[in-house]
Amino acid sequence: MNESAVPYGRKTQRAPAVKEVHIVWITAGLGCDGDSVSITAATQPSIEDVILGAIPGLPRVHLHNPVLAYENGDEFMNFLYQAAEDRLGPFVLVVEGSIPNEAIKEEGYWAALGVNKQTGQPITTCEWIDRLAPKAVAVVAIGTCATYGGIHAMEGNPTGCMGLLDYLGWDWKTKAGLPIVCVPGCPVQPDNFMETVLYLLCQVAGLSPMIPLDEAHRPTWLFGKTVHEGCDRAGYYEEGDFAHEYGSPKCLVKLGCWGPVVQCNVPKRGWMAGIGGCPNVGGICIGCTMPGFPDKFMPFMDAPPGSKLSSTAVGMYGRIIRALRHYTQDSANHEPKWRHTGRELTTGYHPTTYNHH
Ligand code: SF4
Ligand code: SF4
Ligand code: SF4
């Protein structure tokens, strides 16, 4: 175990190597600010817990998010200028929204934040990323727009927009040697993001080892299982019992649920404080955490390819299982017969079966 990775709560816990960390958050990609709004619902940990220092061992955290900030105008922009000039202190860069391709427009710009005081021209989102990413200790893409392009990058869009991995490069690393960390979802599940930020803050402070990521740069412990594996309706799937209209409690695969192949913990974790979770509450999984979203999952309301085959196979198997289960269930709904033998005692001590010798 890395000596610096001392778990919380031990007397031997080391003081963080870094005492203050800033979170510099750009929402100026092509997006809807839905991820900034989503994280206000986090509880594990909450954004307030992190900022107000409620978590032992964490460095002091300063959040600069344009949707949540008290500052506005130049007062807010100053944090970004300082970060770009390496004067703010160590910071984690969070990028929200899809990154447009400024090289393919004919005039104007696709997305920008603030104005260049020398030229009077808008500072494009791409320019901000170019300025800030090399100075950040960790870079996180929040939401599917920023991770893989998302809704805005769907086929036919005029902006040529993309996720941060495609913009900076999949092998790109921060000056501290961290790969880009992706927390997809449209929007992001709030606790998934806050837990990832917490991990990274610990890592920046020298308190935890390298964050484990999968091949799509998602934290492995959050995206290692499929929706299907955590779905409340999986029992119906296994028994080949499918919903054919909304409002049914049964498996939604025939209505377009992609749960069997999508990596997402939302059915297990819920949306807010454990409540909700797409298929659990009647919504088909449309694969919003996946790099192929949305194009590879459209049209959303059609049954996914393979669902026919798997539901046929499951259907045959399910019929047998259902019959056997019905038999077992019927038996389990009746008390054991030795409890109904009138006055005769057939369990434990019995004078006719107990040998006194
Ligand atoms: Fe909005 Fe979804 Fe994009 Fe987040 S990923 S900015 S919620 S469209
Ligand atoms: Fe799997 Fe979707 Fe059916 Fe749930 S509703 S069991 S995730 S196919
Ligand atoms: Fe997105 Fe599916 Fe997860 Fe819902 S269950 S958040 S639709 S990937």
Side-chain angles (χ1 to χ4, degrees), residues 31-32 34-35 143-145 185-187:
C32 70
D35 305 296
T144 306
C145 290
C186 186

Side-chain angles (χ1 to χ4, degrees), residues 32-310:
C32 70
D33 294 352
D35 305 296
S36 289
V37 175
S38 177
I39 60 121
T40 61
T43 54
Q44 295 176 331
S46 71
I47 187 90
E48 295 88 344
D49 287 344
V50 171
I51 294 171
L52 298 176
I55 299 170
L58 265 200
R60 186 135 194 263
V61 176
H62 306 276
L63 174 69
H64 311 292
N65 172 311
V67 179
L68 306 174
Y70 285 103
E71 307 86 355
N72 52 43
D74 281 346
E75 208 187 338
F76 178 81
M77 293 303 296
N78 275 338
F79 296 120
L80 273 74
Y81 293 126
Q82 286 174 33
E85 290 162 14
D86 231 353
R87 292 188 289 113
L88 189 64
F91 71 93
V92 174
L93 174 65
V94 178
V95 176
E96 178 173 353
S98 197
I99 299 145
N101 184 351
E102 295 289 351
I104 61 169
K105 64 185 185 283
E106 283 177 11
E107 56 182 346
Y109 60 94
W110 296 121
L113 175 70
V115 173
N116 184 320
K117 292 208 168 97
Q118 274 83 48
T119 63
Q121 294 299 308
I123 305 170
T124 63
T125 301
C126 294
E127 193 178 335
W128 275 119
I129 294 169
D130 295 345
R131 287 192 202 179
L132 293 169
K135 305 286 172 20
V137 286
V139 174
V140 189
I142 181 172
T144 306
C145 290
T147 49
Y148 313 119
I151 290 282
H152 305 274
M154 68 188 291
E155 191 181 5
N157 88 84
T159 64
C161 62
M162 65 199 94
L164 200 57
L165 288 167
D166 286 333
Y167 183 73
L168 288 176
W170 285 64
D171 295 329
W172 187 91
K173 290 205 167 50
T174 69
K175 65 180 185 185
L178 270 80
I180 297 166
V181 177
C182 290
V183 195
C186 186
V188 75
Q189 200 283 349
D191 293 315
N192 280 353
F193 178 74
M194 288 307 299
E195 206 173 285
T196 304
V197 164
L198 181 63
Y199 192 107
L200 287 172
L201 291 169
C202 289
Q203 188 174 339
V204 168
L207 300 170
S208 55
M210 179 62 85
I211 186 166
L213 302 175
D214 67 15
E215 71 287 350
H217 291 225
R218 298 167 290 205
T220 49
W221 77 94
L222 297 172
F223 293 91
K225 295 273 192 300
T226 63
V227 170
H228 192 64
E229 283 163 338
C231 180
D232 282 355
R233 298 172 188 245
Y236 287 104
Y237 181 96
E238 187 213 18
E239 293 188 356
D241 209 356
F242 305 109
H244 295 283
E245 58 183 13
Y246 284 99
S248 161
K250 298 176 179 176
C251 168
L252 303 168
V253 73
K254 296 219 181 257
L255 297 179
C257 182
W258 283 77
V261 295
V262 170
Q263 289 162 251
C264 173
N265 64 354
V266 155
K268 278 255 188 218
R269 187 160 221 177
W271 270 104
M272 284 190 274
I275 298 168
C278 299
N280 288 356
V281 288
I284 55 172
C285 171
I286 54 174
C288 78
T289 57
M290 304 295 273
F293 178 81
D295 300 73
K296 291 196 177 163
F297 298 91
M298 293 178 78
F300 288 147
M301 313 302 266
D302 284 4
S307 71
K308 202 162 185 185
L309 191 65
S310 77

